[in-house]
Structure formats: structure tokens, C-alpha cells
């Protein structure tokens, strides 16, 4: 068995080498992402392990299938950048890694919320300028707030446990209800109810057609004044222009964004200076004291990266050997 792994970064390589040695399976690591140019490298392999935010296009997937590769294993969770028709047409089996570390995402989400609530970015800035005064930057306490968790998959539930540890009241909305949470009476019946009650909205939903721009002018209007918005999920869930308007009006008190709708090609790039970042809306957000932007780093922990690489390789081996796998994704 021979596997090709695309888009392998230096921080992933040791985990890949370890797996290859332990399993005695040849894994070719290439730094290129899987695209129309690099797809030819896959000729002669039995499966491909991938991670990228740029699209997996029909042309690329048709080519993979023409090489006999029917096993495609993602090192991440989201499958929104895959051409589903091409997957079905070519009978390619896809796996993801649904739980490489839900805690990694949850911990960054709450870290950023606490920074916002305690105004530490403002104090850092004031202190750097020699200003050690308290006022006017009085903080809010999470333990007195209601947090509305949108989607109660593994990440949403990991976040909930932390919110509860702070003493916050947690409510949630999901179309698929978790029986244990249901029994605890956590769910509200509609997003409108969640908007009406939540002081903090913590987004953990995937990017689907239904929830594209779920947060928009109309839905911001339904929220409490001074709501805090947390998005470690997918940029497409928030209409960025509407968020900027809601921040300008004070409807939204602040936001922590680990994702951004136009992040592809921008995040995980060093532009050399703030001014050189080629996205004015993103810079508008980044320049605000009450908005914390991070470049899609919530997943980026040693535990998560190791699991992403090794779980994806396990999945790919399982797919090649059996045609199915525990983490198979219905496309
Ligand atoms: C995912 O797992 O889908 C993520 O969003 C993390 C990715 C940037 C590696």
C-alpha cells in the first residue's frame, strides 16, 4: 500500500513519519496542496491524504479517479470545499477527522471571549502608552451571562462545558438534538429564541447553504443590544458587512473571529505589515479594540495536529483495505 499526503507542513511531518514507521506503510509527503498542477503526483498511489481550504475541484477529483484513487482522507473536519457531484460521479470515498481535538477549538474560543470581556487588549494598548488608569474600561463577568451555543456537536459541547465551569447560563440551538443536553433542558426551539436571550453567541455550526450568512442585518436586529459574537467555525456564517454595521451601531459589543469569509489566501500568510494585508474589510475588523481576529488558529495545537495527521492516515488505510472507514462522510 502506498499513500500520498498533500500539503504537509513542517509541523506535521514528524507525526507522519512516525505513523509510516509504526505501520510500515510508504507515505509520500508533498508540500504542494492538491490542485490541477499537483494532482499528477498521485499517479501510482492507492490513496490520498489532504488538507486545504482551497477547493477540491471536479477536474482534480476526476483525475484522481482516473489514477484509480478512490480513497480521499481529509486531515480536518470541514468538507465544504469539496465538489460533491464529482465525488459521487467518481465513487470516491471521503473521510474526515471529526474529533482531532474539540478542546483546542473550545479553549481558543473562550480565551478570546475572556480577553474581550476583561478588556485586556485595551489595557495592553493603554499600558504600552504609559496609561495605567482603570476607567472607562470596566469589564463584564461571564458567570452572569447567558451564552447561546449554535450547534451542539463535539466542539459546541466542549465549549459548553467550559462556559458552565464559569457559571454562565448556557442555552443552545441545533437541528439535531443531543439526548443528554435535551434531558438537561438546554435547547431553545428556534434561533430567534436564542438571539433574544443570549448575551454571547458562540457559533459552532458547519458551513452549509442553509446557514450561509446566518448572522445578517435581520438576525443582528433580533439580538440583545451589546451582544458578543464568537466565530471559530466558518467565515461564511457571518455577513461581514452586516457585522461591521452592527459593531458601528453598538448592537454588537465585540467579536472574536478565528475565521473570515474571504480568508483563503490571506490567513496563514505573512504580508510583512498591517497595511500590506490585501483586504480592507478584514483590516477594518482587525483595527478595532473590541474585535479579536485570529488567522484560523483554533485547531493549531500539538495534540490536534498529531491527531489530524495520524487519524487521517488511519482512515485512509482503512478505506484502501475495506472500502469504508469509521469516519466516512456522506457527500
Ligand atoms: C477544520 O478542521 O475544518 C478546520 O477548520 C481547521 C482547519 C483550518 C485545519
Amino acid at each position: 500500500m502506498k499513500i500520498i499526503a498533500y500539503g504537509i507542513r513542517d509541523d506535521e511531518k514528524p507525526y507522519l513519519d512516525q505513523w509510516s514507521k509504526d505501520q510500515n506503510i510508504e507515505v509520500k509527503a508533498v508540500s504542494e496542496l492538491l490542485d490541477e498542477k499537483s494532482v499528477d503526483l498521485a499517479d501510482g498511489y492507492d490513496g490520498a491524504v489532504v488538507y486545504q481550504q482551497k477547493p477540491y475541484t471536479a477536474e482534480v477529483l476526476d483525475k484522481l479517479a482516473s489514477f484509480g484513487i478512490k480513497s480521499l482522507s481529509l486531515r480536518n473536519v470541514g468538507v465544504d470545499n469539496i465538489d460533491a457531484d464529482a465525488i459521487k460521479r467518481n465513487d470516491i470515498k471521503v473521510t474526515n477527522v471529526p474529533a482531532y481535538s474539540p478542546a483546542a477549538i473550545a479553549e481558543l474560543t473562550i480565551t478570546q471571549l475572556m480577553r474581550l470581556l476583561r478588556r485586556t487588549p485595551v489595557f495592553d494598548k493603554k499600558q504600552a502608552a504609559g496609561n495605567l488608569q482603570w476607567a472607562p474600561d470596566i469589564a463584564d463577568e461571564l458567570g452572569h451571562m447567558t451564552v447561546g451555543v449554535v450547534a451542539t456537536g463535539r466542539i459546541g459541547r466542549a465549549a459548553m462545558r467550559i462556559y458552565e465551569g464559569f457559571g454562565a447560563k448556557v442555552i443552545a440551538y441545533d437541528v439535531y438534538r443531543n439526548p443528554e443536553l435535551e434531558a438537561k433542558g438546554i435547547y431553545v426551539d428556534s434561533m430567534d429564541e436564542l438571539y433574544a436571550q443570549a448575551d454571547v453567541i458562540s457559533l459552532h455550526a458547519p458551513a452549509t447553504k442553509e446557514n450561509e450568512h446566518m448572522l445578517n442585518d435581520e438576525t443582528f436586529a433580533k439580538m440583545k443590544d451589546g451582544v458578543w459574537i464568537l466565530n471559530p467555525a466558518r467565515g461564511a456564517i457571518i455577513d461581514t458587512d452586516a457585522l461591521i454595521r452592527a459593531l458601528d451601531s453598538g448592537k454588537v459589543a465585540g467579536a472574536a473571529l478565528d475565521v473570515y469569509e474571504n480568508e483563503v489566501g490571506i490567513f496563514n500568510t505573512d504580508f510583512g505589515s498591517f497595511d500590506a494585508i490585501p483586504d480592507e474589510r478584514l483590516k477594518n475588523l482587525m483595527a478595532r479594540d473590541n474585535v479579536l481576529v485570529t488567522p484560523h488558529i483554533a485547531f493549531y495545537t500539538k495534540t490536534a495536529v498529531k491527531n489530524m495527521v495520524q487519524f487521517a492516515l488511519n482512515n485512509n488505510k482503512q478505506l484502501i483495505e475495506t472500502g469504508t472507514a469509521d469516519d466516512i462522510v456522506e457527500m
Side-chain angles (χ1 to χ4, degrees):
M1 179 191 305
K2 282 163 64 179
I3 296 172
I4 182 163
Y6 279 94
I8 293 293
R9 306 180 306 268
D10 289 350
D11 53 83
E12 294 178 299
K13 188 72 175 34
Y15 304 123
L16 181 144
D17 290 341
Q18 187 63 52
W19 186 90
S20 168
K21 197 168 149 226
D22 292 347
Q23 300 284 331
N24 197 20
I25 292 175
E26 184 183 333
V27 183
K28 167 95 176 148
V30 298
S31 58
E32 291 93 331
L33 300 176
L34 177 59
D35 62 15
E36 289 73 9
K37 271 196 231 136
S38 66
V39 66
D40 289 332
L41 298 171
D43 198 2
Y45 289 87
D46 303 301
V49 166
V50 291
Y51 163 66
Q52 64 197 39
Q53 287 175 286
K54 73 180 203 175
Y56 300 97
T57 62
E59 186 183 338
V60 166
L61 297 169
D62 289 347
K63 198 82 179 275
L64 273 188
S66 76
F67 298 149
I69 297 184
K70 301 283 182 161
S71 304
L72 186 68
S73 296
L74 273 60
R75 304 198 287 282
N76 62 303
V77 187
V79 294
D80 42 274
N81 53 345
I82 304 182
D83 187 316
D85 291 337
I87 289 287
K88 285 185 213 138
R89 179 172 72 230
N90 287 299
D91 193 30
I92 296 175
K93 304 281 185 257
V94 176
T95 57
N96 68 350
V97 183
Y100 47 78
S101 179
I105 318 295
E107 285 180 12
L108 183 79
T109 309
I110 285 97
T111 300
Q112 298 297 74
L113 173 63
M114 293 315 295
R115 291 180 68 209
L116 287 170
L117 295 183
R118 299 312 305 251
R119 314 293 195 267
T120 57
V122 180
F123 279 101
D124 287 348
K125 205 163 142 188
K126 287 200 321 195
Q127 285 170 210
N131 179 356
L132 303 185
Q133 272 184 332
W134 302 338
D137 302 301
I138 192 159
D140 296 288
E141 290 184 33
L142 179 54
H144 295 289
M145 294 182 153
T146 298
V147 181
V149 172
V150 180
T152 53
R154 292 178 181 85
I155 297 173
R157 297 202 301 276
M160 267 180 177
R161 287 190 287 275
I162 305 179
Y163 293 130
E164 283 168 350
F166 275 92
K169 175 175 176 197
V170 178
I171 58 171
Y173 180 77
D174 201 325
V175 271
Y176 308 101
R177 291 189 171 198
N178 175 289
E180 266 175 51
L181 298 181
E182 174 100 76
K184 279 171 76 181
I186 294 264
Y187 289 108
V188 290
D189 291 328
S190 66
M191 280 299 292
D192 281 2
E193 266 184 68
L194 186 140
Y195 293 142
Q197 292 179 38
D199 301 300
V200 175
I201 296 181
S202 194
L203 299 169
H204 303 287
T208 59
K209 270 212 169 64
E210 294 72 47
N211 57 31
E212 187 177 344
H213 285 188
M214 179 199 288
L215 268 49
N216 53 42
D217 286 317
E218 206 183 308
T219 53
F220 281 124
K222 295 176 178 171
M223 295 175 198
K224 281 181 149 178
D225 290 339
V227 64
W228 300 88
I229 304 291
L230 310 174
N231 189 7
R234 282 292 181 266
I237 298 173
I238 300 183
D239 174 345
T240 306
D241 292 321
L243 174 63
I244 288 173
R245 285 189 284 275
L247 285 159
D248 285 343
S249 71
K251 181 76 185 177
V252 170
L257 310 171
D258 189 48
V259 290
Y260 168 60
E261 53 182 333
N262 294 333
E263 71 181 62
V264 178
I266 295 182
F267 282 3
N268 199 16
T269 304
D270 183 356
F271 292 101
S273 72
F274 180 85
D275 289 344
I277 298 171
D279 189 307
E280 293 311 314
R281 283 192 317 175
L282 180 62
K283 285 194 283 193
N284 174 320
L285 290 166
M286 289 171 71
R288 295 169 189 254
D289 288 338
N290 58 345
V291 177
L292 298 177
V293 175
T294 42
H296 212 139
I297 56 164
F299 84 99
Y300 196 51
T301 68
K302 290 169 190 161
T303 304
V305 169
K306 177 174 190 269
N307 290 344
M308 290 165 98
V309 170
Q310 298 191 341
F311 293 180
L313 284 164
N314 286 339
N315 284 337
N316 206 243
K317 175 175 178 263
Q318 212 186 345
L319 273 185
I320 294 166
E321 284 175 345
T322 69
T324 188
D326 299 339
D327 292 332
I328 199 132
V329 180
E330 292 306 329
M331 299 289 301

